[in-house]
Protein backbone atom coordinates (compact mmCIF):
# COMPACT_ATOMS: atom_id res chain seq x y z
CA UNK A 1 0.00 0.00 0.00
CA UNK A 2 2.75 2.43 0.95
CA UNK A 3 4.89 1.46 -2.03
CA UNK A 4 1.99 2.33 -4.32
CA UNK A 5 1.40 5.73 -2.72
CA UNK A 6 1.95 8.40 -5.39
CA UNK A 7 4.73 10.88 -4.85
CA UNK A 8 3.17 14.37 -4.56
CA UNK A 9 3.76 16.46 -7.66
CA UNK A 10 5.78 19.59 -7.11
CA UNK A 11 7.34 18.33 -3.88
CA UNK A 12 11.08 18.88 -4.04
CA UNK A 13 12.10 17.04 -0.90
CA UNK A 14 15.75 17.52 0.04
CA UNK A 15 16.91 16.05 3.31
CA UNK A 16 19.98 17.41 5.09
CA UNK A 17 23.25 16.11 3.68
CA UNK A 18 24.47 15.19 7.16
CA UNK A 19 21.67 12.67 7.73
CA UNK A 20 23.59 9.42 8.09
CA UNK A 21 22.48 6.20 6.47
CA UNK A 22 21.40 3.48 8.88
CA UNK A 23 23.26 0.16 8.91
CA UNK A 24 21.99 -1.33 12.17
CA UNK A 25 24.86 -0.17 14.38
CA UNK A 26 23.23 2.95 15.87
CA UNK A 27 20.46 3.21 18.39
CA UNK A 28 17.33 2.64 16.25
CA UNK A 29 14.82 4.78 18.14
CA UNK A 30 17.08 7.84 17.99
CA UNK A 31 17.94 7.38 14.32
CA UNK A 32 14.34 6.81 13.15
CA UNK A 33 13.19 9.90 15.07
CA UNK A 34 15.94 12.03 13.49
CA UNK A 35 15.07 10.65 10.07
CA UNK A 36 11.37 11.40 10.45
CA UNK A 37 12.10 14.92 11.73
CA UNK A 38 14.32 15.56 8.70
CA UNK A 39 11.54 14.41 6.35
CA UNK A 40 8.99 16.55 8.20
CA UNK A 41 11.19 19.66 8.19
CA UNK A 42 11.74 19.21 4.46
CA UNK A 43 7.97 19.21 3.87
CA UNK A 44 7.27 15.49 3.76
CA UNK A 45 4.64 13.53 5.59
CA UNK A 46 4.41 10.07 7.16
CA UNK A 47 3.73 8.29 3.86
CA UNK A 48 6.68 10.03 2.20
CA UNK A 49 8.87 9.06 5.18
CA UNK A 50 7.89 5.41 4.64
CA UNK A 51 8.60 5.58 0.91
CA UNK A 52 11.95 7.34 1.29
CA UNK A 53 13.23 5.16 4.12
CA UNK A 54 14.79 2.66 1.71
CA UNK A 55 17.10 5.42 0.42
CA UNK A 56 18.63 5.83 3.88
CA UNK A 57 19.15 2.19 4.79
CA UNK A 58 22.29 0.24 3.92
CA UNK A 59 23.59 -3.26 4.48
CA UNK A 60 21.52 -5.42 6.84
CA UNK A 61 18.99 -2.62 7.39
CA UNK A 62 18.22 -2.44 3.67
CA UNK A 63 17.92 -6.22 3.53
CA UNK A 64 15.50 -6.17 6.46
CA UNK A 65 13.26 -3.68 4.69
CA UNK A 66 13.24 -5.70 1.49
CA UNK A 67 12.40 -8.88 3.41
CA UNK A 68 9.35 -7.45 5.19
CA UNK A 69 6.30 -9.56 4.36
CA UNK A 70 3.58 -7.92 2.30
CA UNK A 71 0.71 -6.29 4.16
CA UNK A 72 2.59 -5.83 7.44
CA UNK A 73 3.24 -2.08 7.28
CA UNK A 74 0.23 0.19 6.78
CA UNK A 75 1.43 3.50 8.24
CA UNK A 76 4.44 5.30 9.70
CA UNK A 77 3.62 4.02 13.18
CA UNK A 78 3.79 0.40 11.95
CA UNK A 79 7.12 1.12 10.23
CA UNK A 80 8.60 2.83 13.28
CA UNK A 81 7.57 0.04 15.65
CA UNK A 82 8.83 -2.72 13.33
CA UNK A 83 12.12 -0.85 12.75
CA UNK A 84 12.80 -0.23 16.44
CA UNK A 85 11.81 -3.76 17.44
CA UNK A 86 14.03 -5.38 14.82
CA UNK A 87 17.14 -3.26 15.41
CA UNK A 88 16.87 -2.94 19.19
CA UNK A 89 19.35 -5.78 19.71
CA UNK A 90 21.82 -4.95 16.94
CA UNK A 91 23.24 -1.55 17.79
CA UNK A 92 26.50 -0.95 19.63
CA UNK A 93 25.75 -0.20 23.27
CA UNK A 94 27.68 2.38 25.30
CA UNK A 95 30.52 1.01 27.38
CA UNK A 96 29.97 0.39 31.10
CA UNK A 97 32.07 0.40 34.27
CA UNK A 98 32.61 -3.33 33.71
CA UNK A 99 34.12 -2.59 30.30
CA UNK A 100 36.55 -0.15 31.94
CA UNK A 101 37.50 -2.73 34.56
CA UNK A 102 38.09 -5.32 31.84
CA UNK A 103 40.45 -2.94 30.03
CA UNK A 104 43.82 -4.00 31.42
CA UNK A 105 47.34 -3.26 30.32
CA UNK A 106 48.74 -6.13 28.28
CA UNK A 107 52.16 -7.59 28.86
CA UNK A 108 54.68 -5.51 26.93
CA UNK A 109 52.14 -2.75 26.16
CA UNK A 110 53.49 0.74 26.74
CA UNK A 111 51.79 3.03 29.22
CA UNK A 112 50.95 5.41 26.38
CA UNK A 113 49.30 2.69 24.29
CA UNK A 114 47.31 1.48 27.27
CA UNK A 115 46.23 5.00 28.18
CA UNK A 116 45.09 5.63 24.59
CA UNK A 117 43.08 2.38 24.54
CA UNK A 118 41.64 2.99 28.01
CA UNK A 119 40.60 6.56 27.16
CA UNK A 120 38.84 5.34 24.02
CA UNK A 121 36.83 2.94 26.19
CA UNK A 122 36.18 5.67 28.78
CA UNK A 123 34.85 8.00 26.09
CA UNK A 124 32.33 5.34 25.05
CA UNK A 125 30.94 5.13 28.60
CA UNK A 126 27.68 6.55 29.85
CA UNK A 127 26.87 7.12 33.52
CA UNK A 128 30.29 6.15 34.90
CA UNK A 129 31.52 8.61 37.52
CA UNK A 130 35.15 9.75 37.63
CA UNK A 131 35.93 7.92 40.88
CA UNK A 132 34.83 4.57 39.44
CA UNK A 133 36.73 5.31 36.24
CA UNK A 134 39.96 6.10 38.11
CA UNK A 135 39.70 2.90 40.17
CA UNK A 136 39.26 0.94 36.95
CA UNK A 137 42.24 2.71 35.35
CA UNK A 138 44.55 2.06 38.29
CA UNK A 139 43.36 -1.54 38.53
CA UNK A 140 44.11 -2.05 34.85
CA UNK A 141 47.73 -0.95 35.06
CA UNK A 142 50.47 -3.59 35.15
CA UNK A 143 51.68 -4.36 38.63
CA UNK A 144 55.16 -3.04 39.23
CA UNK A 145 54.93 -0.55 36.35
CA UNK A 146 56.10 3.02 36.74
CA UNK A 147 52.70 4.57 35.97
CA UNK A 148 50.97 2.43 38.58
CA UNK A 149 53.65 3.32 41.10
CA UNK A 150 53.08 7.06 40.53
Amino acid sequence: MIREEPYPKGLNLKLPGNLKHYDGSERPDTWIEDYFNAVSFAGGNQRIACRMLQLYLIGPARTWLGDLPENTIFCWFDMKIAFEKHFRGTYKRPATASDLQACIQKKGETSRSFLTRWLATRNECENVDNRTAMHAFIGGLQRGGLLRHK
Side-chain angles (χ1 to χ4, degrees):
M1 186 172 118
I2 292 169
R3 289 179 179 148
E4 295 170 5
E5 179 73 26
Y7 192 77
K9 292 181 180 178
L11 181 64
N12 188 9
L13 196 68
K14 290 188 180 180
L15 299 186
N18 63 347
L19 180 63
K20 295 191 296 186
H21 288 75
Y22 190 79
D23 63 0
S25 62
E26 291 182 54
R27 189 173 166 154
D29 55 338
T30 303
W31 186 89
I32 199 79
E33 184 177 327
D34 290 346
Y35 165 77
F36 182 74
N37 286 334
V39 171
S40 295
F41 294 150
N45 58 30
Q46 293 180 350
R47 291 182 311 276
I48 297 299
C50 285
R51 290 214 41 211
M52 289 184 62
L53 184 62
Q54 66 182 343
L55 302 174
Y56 288 88
L57 301 180
I58 57 175
R62 183 71 182 257
T63 303
W64 165 79
L65 184 65
D67 290 345
L68 279 175
E70 281 190 36
N71 299 317
T72 57
I73 306 293
F74 297 99
C75 63
W76 174 252
F77 182 74
D78 293 343
M79 179 66 80
K80 182 178 182 299
I81 296 300
F83 182 87
E84 290 175 3
K85 184 178 177 182
H86 183 80
F87 292 105
R88 187 177 301 138
T90 65
Y91 76 95
K92 186 177 184 327
R93 303 285 197 281
T96 64
S98 297
D99 294 318
L100 282 178
Q101 292 165 347
C103 186
I104 58 172
Q105 189 174 12
K106 298 172 184 171
K107 188 173 183 165
E109 183 178 27
T110 66
S111 296
R112 176 175 285 197
S113 294
F114 170 66
L115 179 59
T116 301
R117 191 166 51 84
W118 187 88
L119 285 172
T121 304
R122 173 68 175 115
N123 288 337
E124 293 175 358
C125 288
E126 283 185 1
N127 302 322
V128 176
D129 62 84
N130 288 335
R131 184 181 180 140
T132 302
M134 285 310 299
H135 282 295
F137 176 71
I138 293 167
L141 290 169
Q142 280 183 353
R143 302 208 186 281
L146 182 61
L147 190 56
R148 185 176 178 125
H149 177 72
K150 286 187 174 192

mmCIF file of all heavy atoms in Angstrom, residues 75-98:
data_model
loop_
_atom_site.group_PDB
_atom_site.id
_atom_site.type_symbol
_atom_site.label_atom_id
_atom_site.label_comp_id
_atom_site.label_asym_id
_atom_site.label_seq_id
_atom_site.Cartn_x
_atom_site.Cartn_y
_atom_site.Cartn_z
ATOM 1 N N CYS A 75 1.264 2.074 7.931
ATOM 2 C CA CYS A 75 1.432 3.496 8.242
ATOM 3 C C CYS A 75 2.809 3.707 8.867
ATOM 4 O O CYS A 75 3.549 2.752 9.123
ATOM 5 C CB CYS A 75 0.331 3.969 9.196
ATOM 6 S SG CYS A 75 0.374 3.150 10.808
ATOM 7 N N TRP A 76 3.148 4.964 9.107
ATOM 8 C CA TRP A 76 4.441 5.302 9.696
ATOM 9 C C TRP A 76 4.602 4.643 11.065
ATOM 10 O O TRP A 76 5.668 4.146 11.411
ATOM 11 C CB TRP A 76 4.611 6.815 9.816
ATOM 12 C CG TRP A 76 5.869 7.148 10.539
ATOM 13 C CD1 TRP A 76 5.990 7.648 11.799
ATOM 14 C CD2 TRP A 76 7.206 6.948 10.070
ATOM 15 N NE1 TRP A 76 7.311 7.767 12.139
ATOM 16 C CE2 TRP A 76 8.080 7.359 11.088
ATOM 17 C CE3 TRP A 76 7.740 6.461 8.889
ATOM 18 C CZ2 TRP A 76 9.452 7.299 10.962
ATOM 19 C CZ3 TRP A 76 9.127 6.403 8.764
ATOM 20 C CH2 TRP A 76 9.961 6.819 9.789
ATOM 21 N N PHE A 77 3.548 4.622 11.855
ATOM 22 C CA PHE A 77 3.621 4.023 13.184
ATOM 23 C C PHE A 77 4.015 2.547 13.084
ATOM 24 O O PHE A 77 4.869 2.079 13.833
ATOM 25 C CB PHE A 77 2.283 4.180 13.919
ATOM 26 C CG PHE A 77 2.302 3.641 15.311
ATOM 27 C CD1 PHE A 77 2.955 4.320 16.333
ATOM 28 C CD2 PHE A 77 1.685 2.428 15.609
ATOM 29 C CE1 PHE A 77 2.985 3.817 17.622
ATOM 30 C CE2 PHE A 77 1.713 1.914 16.894
ATOM 31 C CZ PHE A 77 2.359 2.617 17.904
ATOM 32 N N ASP A 78 3.424 1.806 12.161
ATOM 33 C CA ASP A 78 3.786 0.400 11.951
ATOM 34 C C ASP A 78 5.262 0.270 11.574
ATOM 35 O O ASP A 78 5.971 -0.615 12.069
ATOM 36 C CB ASP A 78 2.953 -0.225 10.828
ATOM 37 C CG ASP A 78 1.485 -0.362 11.171
ATOM 38 O OD1 ASP A 78 1.127 -0.291 12.358
ATOM 39 O OD2 ASP A 78 0.690 -0.536 10.222
ATOM 40 N N MET A 79 5.730 1.155 10.680
ATOM 41 C CA MET A 79 7.121 1.117 10.232
ATOM 42 C C MET A 79 8.068 1.407 11.396
ATOM 43 O O MET A 79 9.052 0.694 11.601
ATOM 44 C CB MET A 79 7.346 2.129 9.103
ATOM 45 C CG MET A 79 8.771 2.164 8.589
ATOM 46 S SD MET A 79 9.270 0.649 7.769
ATOM 47 C CE MET A 79 8.514 0.908 6.177
ATOM 48 N N LYS A 80 7.753 2.431 12.146
ATOM 49 C CA LYS A 80 8.598 2.831 13.275
ATOM 50 C C LYS A 80 8.696 1.711 14.311
ATOM 51 O O LYS A 80 9.788 1.379 14.766
ATOM 52 C CB LYS A 80 8.018 4.101 13.914
ATOM 53 C CG LYS A 80 8.803 4.665 15.062
ATOM 54 C CD LYS A 80 8.117 5.937 15.555
ATOM 55 C CE LYS A 80 8.829 6.609 16.673
ATOM 56 N NZ LYS A 80 8.975 5.834 17.882
ATOM 57 N N ILE A 81 7.577 1.125 14.657
ATOM 58 C CA ILE A 81 7.565 0.043 15.650
ATOM 59 C C ILE A 81 8.347 -1.169 15.141
ATOM 60 O O ILE A 81 9.175 -1.738 15.870
ATOM 61 C CB ILE A 81 6.115 -0.362 16.011
ATOM 62 C CG1 ILE A 81 5.390 0.796 16.684
ATOM 63 C CG2 ILE A 81 6.085 -1.608 16.873
ATOM 64 C CD1 ILE A 81 6.017 1.287 17.975
ATOM 65 N N ALA A 82 8.124 -1.572 13.903
ATOM 66 C CA ALA A 82 8.831 -2.721 13.329
ATOM 67 C C ALA A 82 10.333 -2.458 13.265
ATOM 68 O O ALA A 82 11.152 -3.325 13.584
ATOM 69 C CB ALA A 82 8.285 -3.038 11.937
ATOM 70 N N PHE A 83 10.716 -1.240 12.864
ATOM 71 C CA PHE A 83 12.121 -0.851 12.750
ATOM 72 C C PHE A 83 12.796 -0.919 14.119
ATOM 73 O O PHE A 83 13.847 -1.543 14.286
ATOM 74 C CB PHE A 83 12.197 0.564 12.171
ATOM 75 C CG PHE A 83 13.579 1.067 11.956
ATOM 76 C CD1 PHE A 83 14.249 0.795 10.777
ATOM 77 C CD2 PHE A 83 14.221 1.839 12.912
ATOM 78 C CE1 PHE A 83 15.531 1.273 10.554
ATOM 79 C CE2 PHE A 83 15.493 2.324 12.706
ATOM 80 C CZ PHE A 83 16.149 2.032 11.531
ATOM 81 N N GLU A 84 12.197 -0.265 15.104
ATOM 82 C CA GLU A 84 12.795 -0.229 16.443
ATOM 83 C C GLU A 84 12.871 -1.626 17.052
ATOM 84 O O GLU A 84 13.877 -1.981 17.671
ATOM 85 C CB GLU A 84 11.998 0.707 17.345
ATOM 86 C CG GLU A 84 12.154 2.158 16.980
ATOM 87 C CD GLU A 84 11.270 3.086 17.800
ATOM 88 O OE1 GLU A 84 10.546 2.610 18.709
ATOM 89 O OE2 GLU A 84 11.302 4.297 17.540
ATOM 90 N N LYS A 85 11.840 -2.402 16.876
ATOM 91 C CA LYS A 85 11.815 -3.759 17.438
ATOM 92 C C LYS A 85 12.903 -4.634 16.814
ATOM 93 O O LYS A 85 13.616 -5.356 17.512
ATOM 94 C CB LYS A 85 10.440 -4.384 17.204
ATOM 95 C CG LYS A 85 10.273 -5.743 17.823
ATOM 96 C CD LYS A 85 8.862 -6.258 17.577
ATOM 97 C CE LYS A 85 8.696 -7.653 18.139
ATOM 98 N NZ LYS A 85 7.362 -8.186 17.864
ATOM 99 N N HIS A 86 13.045 -4.539 15.505
ATOM 100 C CA HIS A 86 14.031 -5.381 14.821
ATOM 101 C C HIS A 86 15.464 -4.996 15.174
ATOM 102 O O HIS A 86 16.311 -5.871 15.382
ATOM 103 C CB HIS A 86 13.837 -5.307 13.310
ATOM 104 C CG HIS A 86 14.778 -6.196 12.573
ATOM 105 N ND1 HIS A 86 14.563 -7.551 12.445
ATOM 106 C CD2 HIS A 86 15.963 -5.947 11.957
ATOM 107 C CE1 HIS A 86 15.566 -8.084 11.765
ATOM 108 N NE2 HIS A 86 16.423 -7.135 11.461
ATOM 109 N N PHE A 87 15.758 -3.701 15.228
ATOM 110 C CA PHE A 87 17.144 -3.263 15.413
ATOM 111 C C PHE A 87 17.521 -2.969 16.859
ATOM 112 O O PHE A 87 18.647 -2.586 17.129
ATOM 113 C CB PHE A 87 17.430 -2.042 14.523
ATOM 114 C CG PHE A 87 17.431 -2.397 13.072
ATOM 115 C CD1 PHE A 87 16.377 -2.044 12.259
ATOM 116 C CD2 PHE A 87 18.469 -3.125 12.528
ATOM 117 C CE1 PHE A 87 16.362 -2.390 10.922
ATOM 118 C CE2 PHE A 87 18.470 -3.486 11.189
ATOM 119 C CZ PHE A 87 17.411 -3.118 10.389
ATOM 120 N N ARG A 88 16.604 -3.190 17.783
ATOM 121 C CA ARG A 88 16.873 -2.936 19.195
ATOM 122 C C ARG A 88 18.082 -3.727 19.692
ATOM 123 O O ARG A 88 18.867 -3.229 20.488
ATOM 124 C CB ARG A 88 15.642 -3.297 20.021
ATOM 125 C CG ARG A 88 15.754 -2.925 21.478
ATOM 126 C CD ARG A 88 14.485 -3.244 22.242
ATOM 127 N NE ARG A 88 13.360 -2.529 21.653
ATOM 128 C CZ ARG A 88 12.156 -3.053 21.449
ATOM 129 N NH1 ARG A 88 11.913 -4.299 21.810
ATOM 130 N NH2 ARG A 88 11.190 -2.358 20.920
ATOM 131 N N GLY A 89 18.257 -4.932 19.222
ATOM 132 C CA GLY A 89 19.346 -5.776 19.708
ATOM 133 C C GLY A 89 20.622 -5.708 18.896
ATOM 134 O O GLY A 89 21.600 -6.359 19.235
ATOM 135 N N THR A 90 20.651 -4.919 17.823
ATOM 136 C CA THR A 90 21.824 -4.951 16.943
ATOM 137 C C THR A 90 22.791 -3.794 17.133
ATOM 138 O O THR A 90 23.933 -3.887 16.703
ATOM 139 C CB THR A 90 21.396 -4.942 15.462
ATOM 140 O OG1 THR A 90 20.750 -3.706 15.172
ATOM 141 C CG2 THR A 90 20.483 -6.103 15.149
ATOM 142 N N TYR A 91 22.356 -2.724 17.753
ATOM 143 C CA TYR A 91 23.236 -1.549 17.794
ATOM 144 C C TYR A 91 24.298 -1.663 18.879
ATOM 145 O O TYR A 91 24.141 -2.395 19.846
ATOM 146 C CB TYR A 91 22.421 -0.258 17.941
ATOM 147 C CG TYR A 91 21.860 0.017 19.317
ATOM 148 C CD1 TYR A 91 22.547 0.832 20.211
ATOM 149 C CD2 TYR A 91 20.639 -0.498 19.713
ATOM 150 C CE1 TYR A 91 22.040 1.100 21.452
ATOM 151 C CE2 TYR A 91 20.122 -0.227 20.955
ATOM 152 C CZ TYR A 91 20.832 0.575 21.828
ATOM 153 O OH TYR A 91 20.330 0.842 23.069
ATOM 154 N N LYS A 92 25.381 -0.934 18.696
ATOM 155 C CA LYS A 92 26.503 -0.955 19.633
ATOM 156 C C LYS A 92 26.122 -0.160 20.877
ATOM 157 O O LYS A 92 25.816 1.020 20.795
ATOM 158 C CB LYS A 92 27.744 -0.351 18.967
ATOM 159 C CG LYS A 92 28.998 -0.447 19.805
ATOM 160 C CD LYS A 92 30.170 0.119 19.020
ATOM 161 C CE LYS A 92 31.507 0.019 19.648
ATOM 162 N NZ LYS A 92 31.722 0.085 21.002
ATOM 163 N N ARG A 93 26.124 -0.818 21.998
ATOM 164 C CA ARG A 93 25.746 -0.196 23.266
ATOM 165 C C ARG A 93 26.907 0.625 23.822
ATOM 166 O O ARG A 93 28.071 0.324 23.561
ATOM 167 C CB ARG A 93 25.380 -1.256 24.302
ATOM 168 C CG ARG A 93 24.282 -2.206 23.907
ATOM 169 C CD ARG A 93 22.936 -1.511 23.988
ATOM 170 N NE ARG A 93 21.787 -2.372 24.002
ATOM 171 C CZ ARG A 93 21.260 -2.953 22.947
ATOM 172 N NH1 ARG A 93 21.826 -2.843 21.785
ATOM 173 N NH2 ARG A 93 20.177 -3.666 23.044
ATOM 174 N N PRO A 94 26.607 1.634 24.628
ATOM 175 C CA PRO A 94 27.676 2.382 25.298
ATOM 176 C C PRO A 94 28.441 1.469 26.248
ATOM 177 O O PRO A 94 27.889 0.487 26.761
ATOM 178 C CB PRO A 94 26.915 3.460 26.091
ATOM 179 C CG PRO A 94 25.561 3.529 25.494
ATOM 180 C CD PRO A 94 25.282 2.176 24.910
ATOM 181 N N ALA A 95 29.685 1.793 26.465
ATOM 182 C CA ALA A 95 30.519 1.013 27.384
ATOM 183 C C ALA A 95 30.032 1.246 28.823
ATOM 184 O O ALA A 95 29.384 2.249 29.119
ATOM 185 C CB ALA A 95 31.981 1.409 27.237
ATOM 186 N N THR A 96 30.381 0.321 29.705
ATOM 187 C CA THR A 96 29.970 0.386 31.104
ATOM 188 C C THR A 96 31.206 0.371 31.997
ATOM 189 O O THR A 96 32.337 0.207 31.528
ATOM 190 C CB THR A 96 29.084 -0.818 31.463
ATOM 191 O OG1 THR A 96 29.881 -2.011 31.333
ATOM 192 C CG2 THR A 96 27.863 -0.904 30.563
ATOM 193 N N ALA A 97 30.972 0.484 33.308
ATOM 194 C CA ALA A 97 32.073 0.405 34.270
ATOM 195 C C ALA A 97 32.762 -0.951 34.161
ATOM 196 O O ALA A 97 33.992 -1.046 34.300
ATOM 197 C CB ALA A 97 31.552 0.637 35.683
ATOM 198 N N SER A 98 32.014 -1.985 33.870
ATOM 199 C CA SER A 98 32.605 -3.327 33.712
ATOM 200 C C SER A 98 33.570 -3.372 32.526
ATOM 201 O O SER A 98 34.602 -4.035 32.578
ATOM 202 C CB SER A 98 31.512 -4.381 33.519
ATOM 203 O OG SER A 98 30.699 -4.447 34.649
#
